[in-house]
Amino acid sequence: MRIHRILPVILVLTASCSGSDVAHTSESDAESVLSSVVPGIAPAALQAAAQATPMRDFYAKNGWLPVWSPLAAQALTTALEKRARHGLDHVPFMPDLSKLSAEAREIALTRAALSYAGALAHGVADPAKLHRIYTLPRPKVNLSPGLITAVRAGRVEAWLDSLAPDTAEYAALAAAYLKQRQVMPQDNSEEIVGGDLIHPGDQDPRIPQIEAALLENRYLVLPVTTKTDVASNMYSKGIVMAVKAFQNDYGISDDGVIGADTLVILNVRPGDRARSIAVAMERLRWLTRNPPPTRIDVNTAAAELSYFREGKLVDQRNVVVGKPGNETPQISSFMFRLVANPTWTVPKSIQKGEMAGKNAAYFQHYNLSWRNGSLVQNSGPRNSLGLVKFDLNNEFAIYLHDTPAKTLFDKNQRQLSHGCVRVNEALGFAHMLADREGIADQWTKALATGKMTFVKLPQMVPVRLMYRTVYVDQANQLMYRTDPYGWNVAVAAALGFTKDASRQFRSGVDDIGP
């Protein structure tokens, strides 16, 4: 019976070998062929061992026959040994097989292969379970048939590699992860050590490291120390200004004095970069592999908007997004119209929050009035939506818009709104969209009325609101951003990393806009 079960496999294998057949196979070749054949496991024994529903479904579709030959098992083991390329080296996919029965080993191999394949194809974690709102479409891959085909064709490693995102950005993140994982957590060579307080004008040997951290976190664009400063380790005015901005964004007294609290956050960098890169790779695996070539992407971690047209980046600008507690959700939506001179109906939460106790003079100043029990801000330059609203069709009342609070776009951390996305130079962006969509004249006339007017887009523009703390920019540079919403922690935990010591961004801005 055992020979009868494995004979079809032998025939398939030998038929592919340059016209050879069993009758003409040498003794050494026969041993090689036999070593690639699946060991005999009775279907009844496999049925008894396969308790979990996914495994029962898998083997039922395969006629309750085993799939793992020694060569295929070795190929899977080799692939898993290389999983650091995907930032998955902290995830234990394969159990100890040495003490398992043949049936249990067979099932364990399948479970490990499908688990690893799923991690590559659509991520280890389910983002909809990690986040209260997540509607970005995810890849849909039927893994079981692919695994069986790959095993039979001797292409286990190649098939697994084909499941991960095949983009230059993913490859760059993978290379960076392999490099950064060499910085062990206990290696404090790059950590800024504690010590005495550093006041403006002080000399301290830690100043070069502090400047480097500020540069990495984009609080400095270029080094500000002079040769004299470097030689004397001077805490100069340019670094003080950057430290104050950094302190303000993280809820520390922005006096420019560098103490323990400031150093803790400044130190969340080189040793934690591998973790951040692994999280970034996981978020890319969550996304469908072929995004719409014409689309608007908003990275809420970086507070940046990117407009792609036929696959090419045509515009990029700063935005203001939701502050912690009012986070802009990760959603996929469509922009379907422009609204010129919008009015704004103030949400009840803002009425009871920021506007509670405001008097008539305040309402008059901001052009607010009651209409049918709702508080409405009329059209005009002081309207919290500015002069243009970009309407999105989603159930969360999230949209893009202009704003009178122009100074917020100059801040380093722009997680400052109540959840919607404020666009820098929004009128210019609206004119660009209208021109590209062939409705420039219609839009210009609507804006000139001074009244709320709707202008429908002839083609809806896909919009993706995403959260990415590490990414590759248009200059092919790896960019690091802080984790303002603290969302990296849960993703990193799902990837097997320990919790980091980062602190969540705290917004000091409190205005009435959405």
Side-chain angles (χ1 to χ4, degrees):
M1 291 299 293
R2 178 172 298 179
I3 294 175
H4 176 73
R5 282 200 302 275
I6 67 174
L7 182 59
V9 181
I10 295 175
L11 292 176
V12 170
L13 290 168
T14 56
S16 65
C17 298
S18 303
S20 62
D21 54 35
V22 176
H24 295 88
T25 301
S26 67
E27 185 175 346
S28 60
D29 288 339
E31 289 182 4
S32 176
V33 169
L34 287 171
S35 69
S36 67
V37 175
V38 179
I41 297 176
L46 200 52
Q47 289 187 52
Q51 300 297 321
T53 299
M55 293 299 97
R56 296 188 68 83
D57 290 345
F58 177 89
Y59 284 104
K61 292 177 181 178
N62 198 46
W64 292 103
L65 294 174
V67 297
W68 293 100
S69 68
L71 288 180
Q74 182 57 52
L76 174 60
T77 300
T78 301
L80 287 171
E81 288 172 349
K82 299 177 182 178
R83 67 189 187 278
R85 294 179 297 173
H86 303 283
L88 296 172
D89 45 318
H90 291 265
V91 182
F93 293 99
M94 184 79 82
D96 182 3
L97 303 177
S98 62
K99 297 181 180 180
L100 298 181
S101 65
E103 295 82 7
R105 184 176 182 277
E106 165 74 23
I107 291 170
L109 286 166
T110 299
R111 184 180 291 110
L114 289 177
S115 179
Y116 185 47
L120 296 174
H122 48 67
V124 173
D126 181 351
K129 294 179 180 179
L130 296 183
H131 301 284
R132 185 173 60 88
I133 299 173
Y134 189 97
T135 68
L136 291 163
R138 300 183 67 197
K140 295 181 180 179
V141 184
N142 191 353
L143 297 173
S144 294
L147 175 59
I148 293 173
T149 300
V151 170
R152 289 175 177 172
R155 293 180 52 82
V156 172
E157 280 194 79
W159 175 70
L160 288 169
D161 282 341
S162 73
L163 298 173
D166 184 20
T167 64
E169 179 173 40
Y170 190 85
L173 289 170
Y177 179 78
L178 291 176
K179 180 179 179 180
Q180 290 295 333
R181 72 191 284 261
Q182 302 304 319
V183 180
M184 301 301 290
Q186 64 268 25
D187 181 2
N188 295 323
S189 59
E190 296 187 82
E191 182 175 321
I192 308 170
V193 299
D196 295 336
L197 297 177
I198 308 175
H199 296 84
D202 284 353
Q203 293 176 301
D204 193 284
R206 295 169 289 178
I207 292 301
Q209 289 178 286
I210 291 169
E211 183 185 40
L214 293 167
L215 284 165
E216 289 169 355
N217 286 307
R218 306 290 291 179
Y219 284 87
L220 288 173
V221 179
L222 295 171
V224 297
T225 50
T226 65
K227 291 182 179 180
T228 302
D229 291 335
V230 172
S232 62
N233 295 322
M234 179 68 69
Y235 185 23
S236 60
K237 183 178 180 180
I239 304 177
V240 172
M241 292 176 63
V243 168
K244 286 184 176 181
F246 181 86
Q247 290 171 328
N248 181 69
D249 283 347
Y250 282 87
I252 301 171
S253 177
D254 56 353
D255 54 9
V257 177
I258 301 174
D261 286 346
T262 302
L263 289 178
V264 165
I265 304 173
L266 284 172
N267 272 322
V268 180
R269 32 191 269 280
D272 298 316
R273 282 192 167 186
R275 180 196 296 107
S276 298
I277 296 169
V279 169
M281 296 174 74
E282 172 74 353
R283 288 198 170 105
L284 285 181
R285 292 190 291 265
W286 291 348
L287 301 175
T288 52
R289 302 300 186 252
N290 298 302
T294 295
R295 67 186 186 277
I296 294 170
D297 285 345
V298 176
N299 181 356
T300 57
E304 292 177 347
L305 177 150
S306 301
Y307 174 37
F308 294 87
R309 192 86 185 175
E310 299 301 328
K312 295 182 179 180
L313 179 68
V314 296
D315 187 71
Q316 196 166 48
R317 60 187 64 213
N318 289 348
V319 294
V320 170
V321 297
K323 58 188 176 183
N326 296 107
E327 296 90 350
T328 300
Q330 299 171 87
I331 63 173
S332 174
S333 190
F334 289 90
M335 184 185 296
F336 66 97
R337 69 183 178 188
L338 306 178
V339 184
N341 310 299
T343 63
W344 178 46
T345 301
V346 182
K348 299 296 183 183
S349 59
I350 297 179
Q351 289 182 35
K352 297 176 181 179
E354 289 83 350
M355 290 189 181
K358 302 299 183 183
N359 56 27
Y362 176 91
F363 281 23
Q364 183 178 2
H365 176 77
Y366 285 103
N367 203 13
L368 293 158
S369 59
W370 290 98
R371 297 182 192 174
N372 301 319
S374 295
L375 190 58
V376 178
Q377 190 176 37
N378 299 312
S379 301
R382 290 182 178 174
N383 187 282
S384 294
L385 303 185
L387 296 176
V388 55
K389 176 186 177 185
F390 306 85
D391 255 339
L392 307 183
N393 59 347
N394 61 81
E395 61 184 290
F396 311 108
I398 296 295
Y399 47 84
L400 281 61
H401 65 93
D402 188 15
T403 177
K406 309 296 186 185
T407 59
L408 298 184
F409 295 112
D410 296 327
K411 289 185 171 291
N412 298 94
Q413 297 282 159
R414 295 184 294 277
Q415 290 75 25
L416 306 166
S417 78
H418 283 87
C420 288
V421 179
R422 307 178 189 183
V423 181
N424 191 23
E425 297 183 0
L427 278 180
F429 188 57
H431 283 298
M432 178 188 297
L433 283 173
D435 182 61
R436 301 265 180 170
E437 296 296 329
I439 55 171
D441 290 343
Q442 187 179 351
W443 167 248
T444 301
K445 291 177 182 178
L447 194 61
T449 66
K451 298 180 180 179
M452 185 163 67
T453 308
F454 302 100
V455 180
K456 186 178 179 180
L457 295 173
Q459 299 289 334
M460 293 193 297
V461 179
V463 177
R464 301 190 302 175
L465 306 182
M466 302 179 291
Y467 187 81
R468 305 184 59 199
T469 58
V470 185
Y471 58 96
V472 177
D473 69 3
Q474 293 305 305
N476 293 319
Q477 296 294 314
L478 208 62
M479 305 301 291
Y480 293 86
R481 292 293 181 264
T482 53
D483 182 17
Y485 294 165
W487 284 351
N488 279 4
V489 176
V491 183
L495 295 174
F497 289 89
T498 57
K499 186 175 180 180
D500 62 27
S502 62
R503 288 181 57 178
Q504 189 171 321
F505 169 70
R506 287 189 283 174
S507 168
V509 175
D510 197 16
D511 66 9
I512 65 170

